Amino acid sequence: MIGIDEKGYYGEFGGAYIPEMLHPNVEELRKAYVGIWEDEAFQKEFRELLRDYVGRPTPLYYASRLSAKYNANIYLKREDLCHTGAHKVNNTIGQILLAKRLNKKYIIAETGAGQHGVATATVCALMGMPCIVYMGEIDIERQAPNVARMRMLGAEVRPAKSGSRTLKDATNEAIRHWINHPQDTHYIIGSVVGPHPYPDMVARFQSVISEEMMWQLQEKTGKPDPDIAIACVGGGSNAAGTYYHYLNKEHVRLIAVEAAGHGVNSGESAATSVLGTRGIIHGSRTLLMQTPDGQIVEPYSISAGLDYPGIGPMHAHLIASGRAEAVSVTDDEAMQWTYYLSRMEGIIPALETSHAFAALDHIEYKPGDVIVINLSGRGDKDLNTFITHYDKYND
Amino acid sequence: MNRIQQLFADKQEDILNIYFTAGYPNLEDTEPTILALAEAGVDLIEVGMPYSDPLADGPTIQESGTAAIRNGMTLDKLFDQIASARQHTEIPLVMMGYFNQVMQYGEERFFRKVKEVGVDGLILPDLPVYEFEQFYRDQIESLGLSVSFLITPQTSEERIRQIDKLSKGFIYMVSNSSITGAKKEITQAQLDYFNRINAMQLDNPRLIGFGISSHETFRTACKYANGAIIGSAFIKALRDGKDVHTATIEFVGKIRKSEVGSRK
Ligand SMILES: Cc1ncc(COP(=O)(O)O)c(C=O)c1O
C-alpha cells in the first residue's frame, strides 16, 4: 500500500521538520484537514467551484496524430484548460475554502514561475481576502507577465531577497512570514511539498485529475486504467493528482519527468531524483540537491516551474521504492516538444508540460498502449522564451 | 555533568548566552570570537553553523550565514576551529544549526564529533520532538550532550511539560512568535507569558531569546528567567566593529554594564 502514515511519512520520506514557532499553525492544519476534506458541505462547495469557476471536468483528449506517430493510444488530460491556465488552481480553490473554515483572514503564498501566485491571487480575489505572494527577485524579472497578472488581481507581490532569490527563497520567506503571523494567516503552498500535512492535503486537492481520468478512460477505452501515466515533476502536484487513484494499481506505470536543464551531469540541472540525496527542505524529509556539507544548491531549468531543488516526499518514495520511473528531459528536448506539439495537435503547452511529452522518446512501451499525459498548463506565460528561441527550433 | 549542567548548578541568575555565526565576518574569526566572549565574561556560547536556508532566522543571521558559507565555512572546518578554541577555555559551548546539516554529516558521526571537539549541547530548531525521541535521544544522552528545545507563547502546557522532561540543559524560551532579530521592546503580553512559564515550576532552567538586544531587554529577561540569549545584535556589532576582540568586549560590557567585572 502506498499512502501516508499518521506521522505524515510516505515510507521514509515526509514528516514535519519545522521550528517550534510553526508548530501551532501546522498542528492546527494537521488536526483539521481530513475532517474538512471529508465534510459534505466542503465537498459540495469545492466541487461546485471546480465545475463553474475552474471549468472542470477538463477534457481527456485523444491525440490522434501523436498516437499514430508513436504507435500508441495517447490521451491528453487538459489541465491547461483550467481557469488561469494550469492545474495549480485546483489546489488554491481547495486551500482557500479550508482557510475560510479555519477563520483565517490573510493569505500568503510563494511562487516561482508565477502560475501558483496567479492561481492564489485569483482565489483571493474571488473570496475577497488580502493576498501577499513572495517571489524571488530574479523570478520577478524573468516572469513579468505573471507579476502583472497578480497585481491586476489585487495581490501584493513581495520580492524575496535572501539566498539565491528564486523559488526556494520565496518559500523560505513565506514560511518566515507565517512564523511572524501565526494566528490569522493561512499559507497556501503551491505543490506537494512542505511539512506534513501539506503534501497529503495538496495531493487530495489535485486528486480530481485522476478521478476524472478514470471515468473518462472508462468511457473512451472501456477500462478506467491506462497502461502508463506521465506527468512532469517540479514539486510534484500535477503528478500527484495524475497518479493519485492509481498509486495502488501496480499495473499502471507511473512516469515522473524531471528537468535535466543542460543535462543531468552538466552542473546546470534540476533532476532531483538523480542528483538529490536524502535531506530536509522546507520542513520535509525527502530527496534534494545539496552540497556534501548540506547546503541546498540552486537548480537550473529553462522552465521556472521545475527548478525546485527538492521533490515532494510522495515522489521521493515512489521513485526510491521503484513504484514510479523517473525520466530526465533537457531544455533542448522540452523546447523541441513545445514546437512539435503546437504543430501536431494545435496546443501550445507550458514549458514545464513539454518535459512530460518528451518522456515519449525515453520510455519503452508496447504498441497500442494507453498512455495518458497530463497537460498541466498552457504556454502563454512562456511566449517570451518561445519567441527568443523561435529561429533555433522552427524548422 | 557536562559544562552546561555545571554552569546552571553553580549559577541560576543573569546568565548571558551569546550566539554568533561561525566563520563570520572572516573564516578564521570563530576561535577569536569564542575566546573574546569567554574573556568578556559571558556564561555560555552558541556557535551557529552557517546554513543556506535558515527558516527560523531573520535577515541579520541569514546574511551572516551566507557570508560565512562564501568565506568557505564547512562543518569539518568548524569542528577544527572549535577543537582548537577548546584548548584555551572551559566555557560551555552549544552548537546551533539545522537538521539537514546533521543528516548530511551522518547523524551518529555528527553527534560523536560534537562530543569529541568539546561541545556540550545542541540546538536544532527543526528537529521535531517526536523524531528526537524515536531516533536520536539515546545516542545524544549517552554522549552526555544537552539538547535544548524551543518553546513559544503558543506552545501548549502539555507540550512544554514534555519538552521539560526531554531537556537536560536549559529550555530556550522564544520571546514571541517571530523569527530571530525582531522587535525591540518587551510587551505586556510577553511578560504575561514569562510569568505563566515561571508558574509552571519546570525542572530545567530557562533562557529567553529572540529580540534581546540591549542592557534593558537583557535585565528584563533576567527578571523573568535564568538569563537571556543574544544573537542578531551581537552579529551586527561584529559586522560594524573594528575587530572581533574590541567589538566583543565592548558589546558584552554594554549588555552587562555595572555587573561587568563585579562577578569575576
Ligand atoms: C504548468 C505547470 N506544470 C507543472 C508545474 C510544476 O509544479 P508541480 O510539480 O507541483 O506540478 C508548474 C509550476 O509552476 C506549472 O506551472
Side-chain angles (χ1 to χ4, degrees):
Chain A
M1 273 293 284
I2 289 173
I4 198 155
D5 71 17
E6 74 193 75
K7 291 289 173 188
Y9 283 88
Y10 298 90
E12 64 176 297
F13 301 106
Y17 291 76
I18 48 166
E20 184 64 26
M21 291 80 86
L22 269 184
H23 186 81
N25 308 28
V26 170
E27 187 63 8
E28 180 185 26
L29 264 187
R30 190 188 65 79
K31 284 189 177 142
Y33 85 108
V34 174
I36 291 176
W37 169 250
E38 288 174 352
D39 177 57
E40 228 171 89
F42 175 88
Q43 280 293 331
K44 183 162 180 290
E45 210 179 342
F46 180 58
R47 301 285 165 170
E48 272 175 17
L49 280 171
L50 288 185
R51 187 188 67 210
D52 300 338
Y53 187 72
V54 174
R56 302 203 73 93
T58 58
L60 185 73
Y61 162 70
Y62 181 69
S64 51
R65 292 189 68 203
L66 203 57
S67 295
K69 178 94 185 172
Y70 277 82
N71 195 18
N73 289 302
I74 300 174
Y75 291 86
L76 311 183
K77 182 60 176 160
R78 297 292 308 273
E79 293 300 297
D80 60 317
L81 296 177
C82 288
H83 179 42
T84 71
H87 67 290
K88 295 282 179 187
V89 72
N90 302 327
N91 170 42
T92 60
I93 292 272
Q95 287 205 48
I96 197 100
L97 293 177
L98 178 123
K100 276 180 40 175
R101 278 171 172 70
L102 295 174
N103 286 318
K104 302 295 174 180
K105 302 283 180 281
Y106 303 92
I107 296 296
I108 54 168
E110 86 296 335
T111 197
Q115 282 307 105
H116 174 61
V118 168
T120 305
T122 298
V123 298
C124 287
L126 179 67
M127 298 295 167
M129 284 169 88
C131 175
I132 297 172
V133 179
Y134 284 91
M135 190 168 185
E137 227 171 19
I138 291 180
D139 290 335
I140 287 181
E141 280 168 34
R142 294 199 282 200
Q143 308 287 332
N146 271 344
V147 175
R149 286 170 83 195
M150 287 185 268
R151 293 197 169 127
M152 277 293 295
L153 292 160
E156 179 190 342
V157 180
R158 282 201 192 159
K161 300 180 178 182
S162 61
S164 48
R165 296 176 291 143
T166 57
L167 176 58
K168 123 182 133 60
D169 308 282
T171 309
N172 290 342
E173 289 305 324
I175 292 174
R176 289 182 185 119
H177 180 112
W178 207 25
I179 289 176
N180 286 333
H181 303 84
Q183 264 137 11
D184 46 13
T185 300
H186 176 69
Y187 174 24
I188 300 190
I189 215 165
S191 193
V192 286
V193 300
H196 177 62
Y198 275 109
D200 184 44
M201 184 170 83
V202 176
R204 286 174 195 241
F205 293 146
Q206 292 291 359
S207 67
V208 64
I209 299 173
S210 49
E211 185 186 301
E212 290 172 2
M213 274 162 58
M214 288 182 70
W215 62 257
Q216 289 171 324
L217 281 171
Q218 180 73 46
E219 271 180 22
K220 290 181 201 299
T221 70
K223 282 192 299 182
D225 306 340
D227 295 299
I228 301 174
I230 303 178
C232 66
V233 175
S237 65
N238 87 86
T242 305
Y243 304 161
Y244 198 87
H245 291 284
Y246 301 118
L247 286 173
N248 290 303
K249 294 186 166 188
E250 296 280 338
H251 55 278
V252 179
R253 282 170 63 195
L254 309 176
I255 312 290
V257 188
E258 296 183 315
H262 290 145
V264 170
N265 296 314
S266 66
E268 289 179 293
S269 180
T272 309
S273 76
V274 185
L275 300 170
T277 50
R278 288 165 169 75
I280 290 159
I281 182 167
H282 299 134
S284 181
R285 190 174 188 124
T286 184
L287 296 172
L288 60 129
M289 292 168 59
Q290 54 187 326
T291 68
D293 219 37
Q295 309 293 350
I296 300 176
V297 302
E298 189 55 25
Y300 165 80
S301 163
I302 192 169
S303 119
L306 299 184
D307 62 357
Y308 182 68
I311 180 177
M314 173 203 273
H315 299 295
H317 177 60
L318 292 177
I319 293 169
S321 67
R323 175 68 187 94
E325 303 158 53
V327 170
S328 325
V329 165
T330 62
D331 285 1
D332 194 48
E333 292 172 273
M335 283 300 293
Q336 279 172 11
W337 263 97
T338 306
Y339 281 84
Y340 189 61
L341 191 71
S342 302
R343 306 289 162 87
M344 277 297 266
E345 297 288 348
I347 298 170
I348 304 177
L351 257 174
E352 291 79 12
T353 312
S354 307
H355 287 75
F357 282 87
L360 287 174
D361 301 322
H362 291 261
I363 59 166
E364 310 225 332
Y365 55 88
K366 295 187 299 299
D369 267 358
V370 173
I371 301 177
V372 177
I373 301 175
N374 191 36
L375 216 169
S376 60
R378 60 176 176 247
D380 310 28
K381 70 183 176 61
D382 298 313
L383 224 49
N384 273 337
T385 311
F386 299 155
I387 291 165
T388 316
H389 293 83
Y390 192 81
D391 291 338
K392 182 167 170 203
Y393 293 100
N394 183 51
D395 44 25
Chain B
M1 252 195 228
N2 64 35
R3 296 180 191 86
I4 296 170
Q5 292 156 345
Q6 190 63 55
L7 168 70
F8 286 102
D10 294 344
K11 183 177 173 183
Q12 287 82 41
E13 290 179 345
D14 301 339
I15 302 278
L16 177 57
N17 177 354
I18 299 255
Y19 169 96
F20 76 100
T21 303
Y24 178 83
N26 304 297
L27 181 59
E28 297 301 340
D29 283 340
T30 310
E31 182 175 350
T33 307
I34 292 174
L35 298 181
L37 284 167
E39 181 189 330
V42 312
D43 299 294
L44 216 147
I45 300 174
E46 255 177 55
V47 183
M49 299 153 44
Y51 187 49
S52 56
D53 294 76
L55 275 188
D57 289 305
T60 306
I61 292 180
Q62 285 169 41
E63 281 158 23
S64 67
T66 305
I69 294 167
R70 217 181 293 123
N71 289 342
M73 199 63 204
T74 63
L75 270 181
D76 279 324
K77 180 96 199 144
L78 177 54
F79 284 130
D80 288 345
Q81 292 173 339
I82 292 176
S84 171
R86 185 43 99 204
Q87 308 200 321
H88 308 287
T89 176
E90 279 301 307
I91 192 161
L93 291 173
V94 175
M95 281 175 82
M96 158 144 187
Y98 288 81
F99 198 61
N100 190 49
Q101 301 173 280
V102 178
M103 277 183 76
Q104 285 321 292
Y105 202 83
E107 294 94 323
E108 286 197 33
R109 178 170 165 241
F110 178 86
F111 299 137
R112 262 184 278 126
K113 189 75 185 175
V114 161
K115 177 70 183 176
E116 183 190 311
V117 299
V119 169
D120 308 286
L122 288 170
I123 301 177
L124 301 166
D126 61 345
L127 173 60
V129 171
Y130 167 78
E131 275 73 9
F132 168 75
E133 266 196 286
Q134 291 289 308
F135 307 118
Y136 307 116
R137 182 184 181 182
D138 289 346
Q139 197 203 352
I140 291 175
E141 288 188 357
S142 70
L143 288 167
L145 297 169
S146 298
V147 173
S148 291
F149 290 98
L150 278 55
I151 64 171
T152 80
Q154 267 79 44
T155 309
S156 69
E157 171 157 354
E158 184 193 351
R159 198 168 158 81
I160 293 173
R161 296 266 175 228
Q162 184 194 10
I163 284 172
D164 192 35
K165 265 206 209 92
L166 290 176
S167 299
K168 298 267 182 296
F170 65 93
I171 289 174
Y172 194 136
M173 267 178 79
V174 177
S175 64
N176 62 23
S177 297
S178 72
I179 52 176
T180 55
K183 310 272 157 45
K184 286 209 173 57
E185 273 153 47
I186 293 178
T187 63
Q188 187 56 45
Q190 285 172 277
L191 296 183
D192 294 344
Y193 155 60
F194 300 159
N195 280 326
R196 175 164 61 83
I197 304 302
N198 261 334
M200 287 181 71
Q201 309 263 350
L202 301 176
D203 291 336
N204 285 273
R206 288 145 351 263
L207 299 180
I208 295 176
F210 286 40
I212 310 297
S213 58
S214 61
H215 175 69
E216 289 69 30
T217 44
F218 175 62
R219 291 309 320 151
T220 308
C222 288
K223 247 188 268 169
Y224 291 88
N226 305 77
I229 305 168
I230 301 181
S232 299
F234 179 60
I235 288 170
K236 281 185 194 147
L238 284 179
R239 181 188 67 198
D240 303 336
K242 222 170 63 214
D243 60 83
V244 166
H245 188 262
T246 317
T248 303
I249 302 290
E250 266 179 32
F251 182 83
V252 176
K254 265 193 222 147
I255 297 295
R256 292 272 206 207
K257 275 194 185 157
S258 57
E259 307 156 71
V260 79
S262 65
R263 279 185 186 276
K264 286 241 112 183

